[in-house]
Amino acid sequence: MKRVSIDPITRLEGHGKIDIFLDEQGEVANAYLQIPELRGFERFCVGRPAEDMPNLTNRICGVCPEAHHMAATKALDAMFHVDPPPAAKKLRELFYSIFFATDHTTHFYALGGPDFVVGPQAPPSERNILGVVAKVGQEVAGKVLKMRRDGHALIKMLGGRPVHPNWGVPGGVSHGINEEQRQEIERLGRDAVGFAQFSLKLFDQVVLANSDYVKLITGDLYVHRTYNMGTVDAHNHVNFYDGQIRVTGPDGREHAKYAPADYPHYVAERVEPWSYLKFPYLRQVGWKGLVDGVDSGVYKATPLSRLNVAEGMATPLAAAEYRRFFETLGGKPVHHTLATHWARLIELLFAAERWLELSSDAEITSKQYRVLPTAAPTEGVGCVEAPRGTLTHHYVSDERGILTQVNLIVGTTNNHAPICMSVKKAAQGLIHKGKVTEGLLNMVEMAFRAYDPCFGCATHSLPGQMPLEVNIRNPNGELRHRLTRQINY
Amino acid sequence: MPMTTENFEPKIIAFMCNWCSYRAADLAGTARIKYAPNVRIIRVMCSGRIDPTFVLAALAQGADGVMLTGCHPGECHYVNQNYKALRRYAMLQHTLQQLGLEPERLRLIWASAAEGQQLAEAVDRLVEDIRRLGPLRWPANWQEDGQRLKALAAIEKEHAEASEVPR
Amino acid sequence: MTQAKAKGKLALYWAASCGGCEIAVLGIDAKILDVAEAFNIVFWPCATDGKVRDVEQLPDGGIDLCLFNGGIRTSEQEYMAQLLRRKSRLLVAFGSCAQEGCIPGLANLSNRQEVFDTVYRAAGPTFAENPAEVRPQQHTEVPEGTLHLPMFYDTLRTLDQTVEVDYCLPGCPPEAENIWAAIVAILEGKLPPRGAVLGLNTTVCDECPRKRNEKKIKKFYRTWQVIPDAETCLLEQGLLCCGIATRAGCKALCPQVNSPCIGCHGANDAVQDYGARLMSALASVIDSEDPQEIGQIIAEGIPDPVGSFYRFSLAKSLLRRSKREPTQRNGA
């Protein structure tokens, strides 16, 4: 068969290529998204001191190092049986909200957004952030640049560096902020909320007011009815920093809700010989192949998923947008993958509101931002929502705090199967009678861009393979869960 | 010519301080004390001059072992710089073991100028220990055998076989 | 009417890296528009839609400047390094991965088989439901044809261990102001001789505001054992701060948030082995002359010497990797 290759896929983080096979009639027989990269973090982090992990795992992904830094730091808290003081938790969540807002901005304006702002079949040289700038004008461009500049400046203020922070420690953070800095963060938080509202309005004007785009979003080309996964707080509202993991089915009903440390009971992974990346799926539903539906264990973990599994947003402006989103799209759950771009902007608003909320809290200038662990390290799980999906870090150490085992389940990895399915369906829907153009191939790529993939994250490496007994203890050292992993031959 | 274990002659680099240990080697020479010829001596003014880089460079260039010698603690010509050598040696051993190097391949020996016999015996012991361990050939750890070139050729072929799409 | 100056062609590529260098480039903020004025960006997979084929079809030397980040981990990355070297007038090793291997270089303590077994073997934590012990293959037959994956090498290499490199920009990632300064130097043709590192030649200590007295270390502390004083040198307090052996250029950002420097800007000029310099420096400050005590201070305080001394630079070090048994070698 004739093979058309998209190499590399572009406007995402990470490496990938798409091979499209055309039969004699020029129809798409199949399309494969292959991930050709692997680095081996779970192998080479073994033998490292546990306290190095926030810094080492930063380098899984330079677009979302803050996510890894935070998951690693929380895993260290658990491993060292130490509970950070309240000010530290607030500082961490504030930092995390700022990061989330910045990362979602980068994705919408630089990675996924250009397809809508400039047009999916616009000349390739224009389909990028520079084309967006040319299209929207200097004033809007200035807003976007300011948002990113502010975000990274605050990431640097709190975490030490604008990329790859060096701040998280078991028991808290390495340094705090003073009142002057708090005021700056609060001021920029107000700007961020304004920017998020502006972005949602821009989406309305550029995308939702364009009937061609609406057809694309609500049509059948980019739809898969899968399970969804995200983290929710005690009120079932979306939370990026902490909470329980909730999975709902294609019809929206709850399939599972569990503490992050229980993930082995719910998620399994499959290996294919044509990709370095494995395919997670819901263990209890089972693997039925790259198909959707209630009988297939394939699930998505994206901004859209988070909105689907939650019952609302915790901040007022985002909550209103949440309601409008589902009203417009005909109720929950929404399975139209391109709507993820809209969901992402609602999350941007929530992150900005949370940023403002936390920065207005006087406790974040407290000097009590760190306590030292007193117990010996054993094992810990740390979970956050990365912008691209649920992120889990799981470490086991010896009595010196040197790691003996490392498991990482990373945001985009959750989505490997649905991304492959989305790419194939888009290719089959767009390419007929052998007519292949560059613009059509870009529309195939739009199928994955909605997920905001981070294949660098996804290809850290993959879990260690020791049969193991895992004891999860609370900060007092009491056994909360015991999990055993069996050997399956 | 590939060396079998039978005719393997260890290649050992020795960094010897000028004042005590080099004079000891000198003494072994003038006293016609026989010792294994496998050691290539590099003289430094003081064992405290030995930079860990020297040891690593010697191993990276194919040495089977490295010897460091200096004045006995308390007798350093420059007062106490040999303690630097002692500490650097400790750091090196700790690191090299983690890289998989057998600890016998790096040796620190104190020798005074009068200890020609003792130095000669220490050299002989080191050579025999390394002969037993076999050649090190560190650069072989990162050499490749042609699989890489096949893989690169496969990529060229894969690219050539994909269909052209007008841009 | 003014004659528009012909735009140069710019490429940015990522091999075994994390994308942080891409974000760092965006960190030059509005100056990205100046870059767009001076250059056509012909290839930058993170942010633009240029494809490999576009690069293959350029004439040799057709790219004026290529900023290449990432280490060489697979055959595809080596292919791209060779391709971009051919097509570029100036090839810059951008960031720690390309220059010295960076964090992924720590995989040089292992080999392909071990990595694959950790990753894909059936019976693991979440996870691999892989009863047939499937492993990724370089060539897989599917009903429609053949799918290809690149070869994963045993040893990660730096860019200059693979192709000839013109300049290096250090840092993980390089700081935005240094990136901009390098771009300006390139545009103005004010560059040092080929092969140079575009950076300062003092150490992080030079930029660090903390107070220094005499360092006499009786014990090295792990970072979770002590809350450091905010004013005094971190190494002096017994923390493993790598600033003493690390190239300046970052303005000592990490020590300013009470975190020891981890060494991401690499070694200074004329240093052959970063870890050797750090070992030497730490050996100088240990306050003991007793072999037993020295051994204990080191073993207890530095339980992972390779990870601590070569965190970013293992691939570039003189020994490059751990010892590898002949039976474990996969040919690369």
Side-chain angles (χ1 to χ4, degrees):
Chain A
M1 286 189 197
K2 188 167 146 174
R3 175 170 67 87
V4 175
S5 188
I6 303 177
D7 183 15
I9 54 179
T10 57
R11 280 186 284 126
L12 80 167
E13 193 286 323
H15 298 74
K17 55 176 173 160
I18 296 172
D19 271 355
I20 301 172
F21 291 93
L22 302 178
D23 64 22
E24 276 99 50
Q25 285 74 49
E27 301 302 307
V28 173
N30 212 335
Y32 295 84
L33 170 66
Q34 293 178 272
I35 307 304
E37 69 169 334
L38 177 69
R39 282 166 301 158
F41 276 80
E42 283 149 336
R43 175 71 234 161
F44 67 72
C45 285
V46 168
R48 310 280 77 76
E51 65 270 26
D52 275 4
M53 289 303 270
N55 283 322
L56 294 176
T57 59
N58 271 345
R59 275 80 184 176
I60 293 174
C61 177
V63 178
C64 60
E66 296 83 352
H68 289 285
H69 202 75
M70 207 51 65
T73 305
K74 289 173 78 181
L76 290 181
D77 289 340
M79 209 180 90
F80 281 91
H81 314 289
V82 62
D83 194 26
K89 289 183 184 164
K90 288 180 181 174
L91 278 165
R92 287 182 185 176
E93 192 180 348
L94 169 60
F95 172 84
Y96 206 64
S97 306
I98 295 168
F99 149 66
F100 230 86
T102 312
D103 192 323
H104 273 356
T105 299
T106 304
H107 185 266
F108 181 72
Y109 287 95
L111 303 184
D115 291 317
F116 293 100
V117 177
V118 188
Q121 303 207 41
S125 56
E126 289 170 27
R127 289 190 317 243
N128 50 59
I129 176 68
L130 299 169
V132 168
V133 165
K135 191 79 186 272
V136 301
Q138 291 289 331
E139 198 200 320
V140 173
K143 282 194 215 279
V144 176
L145 289 172
K146 171 179 148 59
M147 177 69 221
R148 294 198 72 260
R149 183 172 60 239
D150 291 349
H152 281 285
L154 294 183
I155 287 168
K156 179 177 173 179
M157 178 198 283
L158 287 160
R161 298 185 68 204
V163 180
H164 297 327
N166 190 353
W167 189 52
V169 293
V173 292
S174 66
H175 100 125
I177 54 169
N178 59 32
E179 173 59 20
E180 195 187 326
Q181 290 170 316
R182 186 202 67 76
Q183 285 176 11
E184 171 80 349
I185 297 174
E186 189 178 1
R187 182 177 73 79
L188 295 179
R190 258 179 244 118
D191 289 351
V193 173
F195 176 79
Q197 290 174 306
F198 163 80
S199 301
L200 280 160
K201 219 183 314 150
L202 184 73
F203 191 84
D204 279 348
Q205 288 164 355
V206 171
V207 180
L208 296 178
N210 180 322
S211 56
D212 290 332
Y213 287 159
V214 172
K215 269 202 219 100
L216 213 53
I217 292 172
T218 58
D220 195 56
L221 189 58
Y222 299 99
V223 177
H224 277 105
R225 291 183 169 76
T226 65
Y227 287 80
N228 283 291
M229 176 188 283
T231 299
V232 294
D233 66 16
H235 305 286
N236 276 346
H237 291 153
V238 173
N239 194 288
F240 302 138
Y241 178 72
D242 206 30
Q244 300 246 292
I245 298 181
R246 194 178 197 212
V247 179
T248 58
D251 59 357
R253 276 190 310 174
E254 184 177 290
H255 163 79
K257 190 170 177 186
Y258 55 92
D262 292 337
Y263 69 86
H265 290 312
Y266 295 94
V267 179
E269 285 187 288
R270 187 184 164 79
V271 183
E272 291 289 344
W274 43 264
S275 186
Y276 278 116
L277 188 57
K278 292 191 296 189
F279 296 83
Y281 62 95
L282 294 168
R283 188 183 280 281
Q284 289 157 12
V285 179
W287 176 263
K288 309 290 177 12
L290 290 169
V291 293
D292 60 358
V294 70
D295 293 318
S296 166
V298 169
Y299 67 91
K300 296 199 201 102
T302 66
L304 179 57
S305 305
R306 288 191 282 258
L307 265 53
N308 275 333
V309 307
E311 281 160 24
M313 307 296 284
T315 54
L317 297 173
E321 289 295 331
Y322 178 98
R323 285 189 291 272
R324 180 168 82 96
F325 175 82
F326 283 113
E327 267 158 28
T328 309
L329 293 172
K332 289 175 71 177
V334 168
H335 291 296
H336 294 82
T337 307
L338 292 187
T340 314
H341 291 288
W342 188 359
R344 189 168 288 115
L345 293 177
I346 297 173
E347 287 195 332
L348 167 56
L349 180 55
F350 166 59
E353 285 186 278
R354 194 84 186 104
W355 165 351
L356 183 55
E357 222 168 62
L358 286 162
S359 59
S360 322
D361 184 334
E363 194 175 7
I364 61 161
T365 54
S366 160
K367 295 268 179 283
Q368 307 307 318
Y369 50 76
R370 182 174 180 184
V371 294
L372 289 179
T374 49
T378 53
E379 161 169 21
V381 176
C383 239
V384 293
E385 284 294 319
R388 292 135 194 107
T390 313
L391 170 61
T392 305
H393 282 211
H394 180 182
Y395 314 146
V396 183
S397 91
D398 67 17
E399 67 288 345
R400 298 172 301 157
I402 304 300
L403 295 181
T404 56
Q405 186 155 339
V406 173
N407 288 341
L408 306 168
I409 312 215
V410 182
T412 291
T413 314
N414 293 299
N415 296 314
H416 190 30
I419 289 175
C420 288
M421 288 154 56
S422 292
V423 164
K424 175 177 174 178
K425 186 168 184 185
Q428 287 178 324
L430 287 163
I431 295 172
H432 299 290
K433 301 213 179 66
K435 176 160 186 267
V436 183
T437 65
E438 193 283 323
L440 285 176
L441 291 181
N442 184 52
M443 289 184 70
V444 172
E445 288 197 69
M446 281 169 65
F448 73 73
R449 271 188 211 120
Y451 292 84
D452 180 12
C454 203
F455 286 123
C457 275
T459 57
H460 50 291
S461 176
L462 305 137
Q465 305 297 312
M466 309 294 285
L468 188 67
E469 182 183 276
V470 173
N471 296 316
I472 312 289
R473 298 177 195 279
N474 68 13
N476 298 325
E478 291 145 5
L479 189 61
R480 232 171 48 84
H481 291 284
R482 173 172 284 139
L483 310 163
T484 41
R485 295 190 260 288
Q486 308 306 318
I487 301 178
N488 295 311
Y489 285 110
Chain B
M1 181 186 85
M3 263 187 275
T4 59
T5 332
E6 284 82 62
N7 64 355
F8 162 51
E9 280 305 327
K11 243 196 310 249
I12 293 163
I13 309 293
F15 297 95
M16 295 198 173
C17 91
N18 180 62
W19 300 101
C20 295
S21 53
Y22 190 81
R23 288 186 181 181
D26 223 15
L27 175 61
T30 53
R32 306 238 190 279
I33 297 169
K34 276 196 180 350
Y35 61 91
N38 304 65
V39 172
R40 290 102 197 269
I41 298 173
I42 298 176
R43 180 168 55 141
V44 292
M45 290 312 291
C46 175
S47 57
R49 174 68 185 93
I50 298 170
D51 185 330
T53 311
F54 301 170
V55 174
L56 301 170
L59 295 169
Q61 288 175 47
D64 300 301
V66 178
M67 186 178 186
L68 314 177
T69 72
C71 308
H72 284 279
E75 293 170 15
C76 176
H77 188 83
Y78 301 102
V79 184
N80 58 4
Q81 300 313 301
N82 50 357
Y83 289 110
K84 287 217 176 87
L86 173 63
R87 294 190 289 257
R88 287 175 192 154
Y89 166 77
M91 286 280 190
L92 270 168
Q93 278 289 25
H94 191 51
T95 307
L96 291 171
Q97 276 180 54
Q98 196 181 1
L99 288 172
L101 192 88
E102 301 94 326
E104 297 88 334
R105 293 188 187 266
L106 174 65
R107 200 159 294 186
L108 174 66
I109 292 166
W110 304 127
S112 73
E115 289 178 318
Q117 180 67 37
Q118 290 89 324
L119 184 61
E121 284 165 12
V123 167
D124 283 342
R125 268 195 304 273
L126 177 61
V127 172
E128 283 326 300
D129 287 346
I130 290 183
R131 198 192 300 281
R132 257 196 313 277
L133 288 172
L136 181 61
R137 293 204 202 114
W138 194 271
N141 285 321
W142 66 71
Q143 263 146 27
E144 47 89 29
D145 64 3
Q147 297 293 325
R148 179 185 135 254
L149 291 175
K150 277 204 208 110
L152 287 168
I155 291 176
E156 287 212 30
K157 185 159 177 278
E158 179 198 346
H159 287 198
E161 284 170 356
S163 299
E164 273 295 337
V165 175
R167 281 180 63 78
Chain C
M1 188 174 89
T2 52
Q3 183 83 27
K5 187 173 171 205
K7 280 194 183 184
K9 288 195 173 57
L10 173 64
L12 295 96
Y13 187 66
W14 49 14
S17 60
C18 74
C21 286
E22 271 66 23
I23 297 297
V25 167
L26 292 178
I28 65 178
D29 196 37
K31 297 196 189 53
I32 194 78
L33 302 171
D34 296 329
V35 172
E37 283 231 1
F39 291 102
N40 275 326
I41 302 177
V42 296
F43 189 61
W44 189 10
C46 179
T48 71
D49 286 354
K51 303 295 180 191
V52 174
R53 187 150 276 184
D54 299 333
V55 177
E56 287 168 344
Q57 288 172 350
L58 286 171
D60 285 3
I63 296 175
D64 294 284
L65 173 62
C66 176
L67 303 175
F68 190 111
N69 71 73
I72 308 300
R73 174 86 268 177
T74 68
S75 54
E76 182 201 30
Q77 290 156 0
E78 179 164 7
Y79 176 84
M80 291 307 298
Q82 291 180 359
L83 177 68
L84 286 165
R85 171 69 279 181
R86 255 197 334 275
K87 303 296 179 184
S88 306
R89 277 198 312 111
L90 270 184
L91 179 66
V92 174
F94 190 99
S96 173
C97 283
Q99 184 190 19
E100 47 178 4
C102 194
I103 302 284
L106 289 170
N108 283 0
L109 279 165
S110 186
N111 57 57
R112 185 180 77 166
Q113 189 181 328
E114 275 181 7
V115 172
F116 276 33
D117 282 347
T118 301
V119 172
Y120 302 113
R121 190 185 288 160
T126 2
F127 303 58
E129 290 298 328
N130 190 12
E133 291 290 356
V134 172
R135 297 283 186 274
Q137 300 294 319
Q138 283 186 52
H139 311 287
T140 304
E141 293 303 317
V142 292
E144 301 84 10
T146 313
L147 297 174
H148 307 273
L149 282 178
M151 178 182 182
F152 184 97
Y153 295 156
D154 259 354
T155 302
L156 182 136
R157 287 183 176 77
T158 64
L159 187 60
D160 74 344
Q161 287 167 354
T162 309
V163 295
E164 218 182 279
V165 167
D166 297 311
Y167 296 100
C168 245
L169 195 55
C172 175
E175 292 294 322
E177 59 259 31
N178 298 336
I179 295 173
W180 179 243
I183 292 175
V184 168
I186 288 166
L187 285 172
E188 293 181 352
K190 295 196 175 121
L191 287 166
R194 272 192 175 194
V197 174
L198 303 175
L200 298 175
N201 222 355
T202 56
T203 64
V204 175
C205 296
D206 213 44
E207 299 180 317
C208 181
R210 286 173 179 262
K211 295 193 187 52
R212 267 158 276 181
N213 307 302
E214 205 192 333
K215 298 188 231 305
K216 283 158 125 42
I217 310 291
K218 273 277 193 240
K219 180 178 159 80
F220 288 112
Y221 292 95
R222 307 277 291 278
T223 54
W224 44 267
Q225 290 175 325
V226 61
I227 296 183
D229 163 301
E231 310 280 309
T232 315
C233 166
L234 291 170
L235 180 56
E236 201 176 307
Q237 296 181 64
L239 290 165
L240 280 176
C241 184
C242 301
I244 202 169
T246 306
R247 185 186 293 264
C250 59
K251 305 209 171 60
L253 290 173
C254 294
Q256 289 180 63
V257 293
N258 297 331
S259 296
C261 166
I262 53 175
C264 79
H265 272 62
N268 285 76
D269 291 352
V271 169
Q272 287 182 59
D273 186 292
Y274 175 92
R277 304 309 298 157
L278 190 52
M279 278 188 239
S280 214
L282 296 176
S284 296
V285 303
I286 290 175
D287 184 23
S288 173
E289 293 179 346
D290 170 52
Q292 287 263 65
E293 192 183 20
I294 291 169
Q296 202 186 336
I297 291 171
I298 292 173
E300 207 179 279
I302 312 175
D304 174 28
V306 175
S308 300
F309 300 152
Y310 292 104
R311 190 177 286 114
F312 289 86
S313 58
L314 182 57
K316 183 81 173 159
S317 68
L318 286 168
L319 296 183
R320 295 207 204 177
R321 56 159 300 118
S322 61
K323 197 149 174 260
R324 193 174 57 150
E325 293 314 312
T327 51
Q328 290 175 326
R329 295 171 194 181
N330 78 330

